[in-house]
Amino acid sequence: MGGIEFLKGHGTQNDFVLLPDPAGCLELTEARVAALCDRRRGLGADGVLRVVRAAALDEPSAGEWFMDYRNADGSIAEMCGNGVRVFARYLVEAGLATEGEFVVGTRAGDRPVVVHPDRSVTVEMGPATITGTSVTVVAGRPFSGVAVNVGNPHLVSLLDDDVADLDLRDQPDFDHDVFPNGVNLEFINCLGEGALRMRVHERGVGETRSCGTGTVAAVAAAFHLAGTDTGRSTVDIPGGRVEVTVSRGGASTLSGPAEIVARGELDEAWWAAAGS
């Protein structure tokens, strides 16, 4: 069978198509990404992770491998915490990296990772920076939020109402002057000390079962609202549970599972047609 190699994986049910492309030869157009991620005419995913050597893209990185991440609509994104975990697990299982600690390059900068013996992964997510406040509107209802940058933009709203009751089928409105390139929108409940529940509407994707950078933003925002800037919290998302730590100065880590579900080959005729 001839074709383009792919794998399917997920991190707390935030799912991805992985495309091994060490030399950076694949022409990964917006149309192809959107077709791959379509759950009827493609494989279905929240995004695409191209596995490419940093040198092939002339990307500055201390690591050999670069995560070229694309949203489901084909747009380029800076970072994805769940995606990095799946990417790192793939590198170890493919023999491209050794279990333990190594570096993955991303558009948000290098991300040190640790792949544990059980194949869960801890990612050093870099600083979670509070950048201000803004408002989002869901089904005509405004929610104030804390803006957080985790290498990509987030707006986190703390709710008294159960986040399970929100209707996130449509894109919530937000201030385009504050977020000219779009924003990931997190809605959280505090479950007690060191525990949050979250739902998320991701930029360029829609509601997803999980968002790694979003969980880090959620914890940073919750700590900020509580008058602190350090600590550890679990975050329950529809796809499972992760653990986030935020240290003084905003440095953060994200720990959680990473799963490889399937592998195969894309039909070359389908690939050619999807790029048009």
Side-chain angles (χ1 to χ4, degrees), residues 17-28 47-53 56-57 65-70 87 90 105 107 271:
V17 173
L18 292 87
L19 297 176
D21 184 26
C25 296
L26 291 179
E27 186 181 357
L28 195 58
V48 169
L49 310 174
R50 182 163 65 136
V51 184
V52 60
R53 284 190 168 89
L57 296 183
W65 296 98
F66 185 85
M67 185 182 75
D68 178 14
Y69 178 60
R70 313 296 176 94
F87 189 96
Y90 165 75
R107 291 187 178 86
W271 177 265

Side-chain angles (χ1 to χ4, degrees), residues 104-135:
V104 172
T106 79
R107 291 187 178 86
D110 285 347
R111 293 293 182 262
V113 303
V114 178
V115 179
H116 303 288
D118 67 355
R119 294 300 186 256
S120 65
V121 181
T122 297
V123 184
E124 291 187 24
M125 297 290 286
T129 306
I130 307 298
T131 60
T133 59
S134 190
V135 174

Side-chain angles (χ1 to χ4, degrees), residues 218-257:
V219 172
F223 287 168
H224 174 75
L225 291 171
T228 186
D229 59 1
T230 62
R232 175 178 297 177
S233 179
T234 59
V235 184
D236 290 338
I237 52 271
R241 173 177 288 180
V242 296
E243 183 174 87
V244 173
T245 63
V246 179
S247 303
R248 196 166 303 282
S252 59
T253 65
L254 168 67
S255 298

Side-chain angles (χ1 to χ4, degrees), residues 35-60:
L36 279 169
C37 293
D38 191 288
R39 298 187 186 276
R40 291 179 176 83
R41 64 191 180 104
L43 295 173
D46 294 325
V48 169
L49 310 174
R50 182 163 65 136
V51 184
V52 60
R53 284 190 168 89
L57 296 183
D58 198 26
E59 290 282 353

Side-chain angles (χ1 to χ4, degrees), residues 13-255:
Q13 299 181 26
N14 194 189
D15 62 335
F16 310 95
V17 173
L18 292 87
L19 297 176
D21 184 26
C25 296
L26 291 179
E27 186 181 357
L28 195 58
T29 64
E30 283 194 12
R32 282 198 175 105
V33 171
L36 279 169
C37 293
D38 191 288
R39 298 187 186 276
R40 291 179 176 83
R41 64 191 180 104
L43 295 173
D46 294 325
V48 169
L49 310 174
R50 182 163 65 136
V51 184
V52 60
R53 284 190 168 89
L57 296 183
D58 198 26
E59 290 282 353
S61 175
E64 180 180 2
W65 296 98
F66 185 85
M67 185 182 75
D68 178 14
Y69 178 60
R70 313 296 176 94
N71 291 317
D73 65 355
S75 59
I76 292 173
E78 301 90 345
M79 239 295 282
C80 176
N82 292 323
V84 170
R85 298 203 313 277
V86 174
F87 189 96
R89 174 167 180 169
Y90 165 75
L91 291 179
V92 169
E93 296 200 346
L96 302 175
T98 303
E99 181 184 296
E101 186 172 358
F102 55 91
V103 171
V104 172
T106 79
R107 291 187 178 86
D110 285 347
R111 293 293 182 262
V113 303
V114 178
V115 179
H116 303 288
D118 67 355
R119 294 300 186 256
S120 65
V121 181
T122 297
V123 184
E124 291 187 24
M125 297 290 286
T129 306
I130 307 298
T131 60
T133 59
S134 190
V135 174
T136 184
V137 179
V138 180
R141 183 180 174 187
F143 295 98
S144 61
V146 176
V148 187
N149 189 290
V150 191
N152 57 358
H154 297 264
L155 184 66
V156 182
S157 298
L158 174 62
L159 277 61
D160 292 326
D161 300 344
D162 192 333
V163 294
D165 295 335
L166 286 177
D167 184 351
L168 297 180
R169 287 174 294 183
D170 297 326
Q171 169 70 59
D173 199 8
F174 59 89
D175 190 332
H176 292 261
D177 291 332
V178 176
F179 302 106
N181 298 314
V183 63
N184 300 286
L185 299 165
E186 286 81 30
F187 303 89
I188 63 172
N189 296 137
C190 283
L191 303 179
E193 186 175 355
L196 300 175
R197 178 186 295 121
M198 184 186 93
R199 287 177 65 195
V200 57
H201 193 285
E202 287 198 59
R203 176 182 59 168
V205 186
E207 184 178 8
T208 58
R209 302 284 291 173
S210 178
C211 173
T213 55
T215 59
V216 174
V219 172
F223 287 168
H224 174 75
L225 291 171
T228 186
D229 59 1
T230 62
R232 175 178 297 177
S233 179
T234 59
V235 184
D236 290 338
I237 52 271
R241 173 177 288 180
V242 296
E243 183 174 87
V244 173
T245 63
V246 179
S247 303
R248 196 166 303 282
S252 59
T253 65
L254 168 67
S255 298

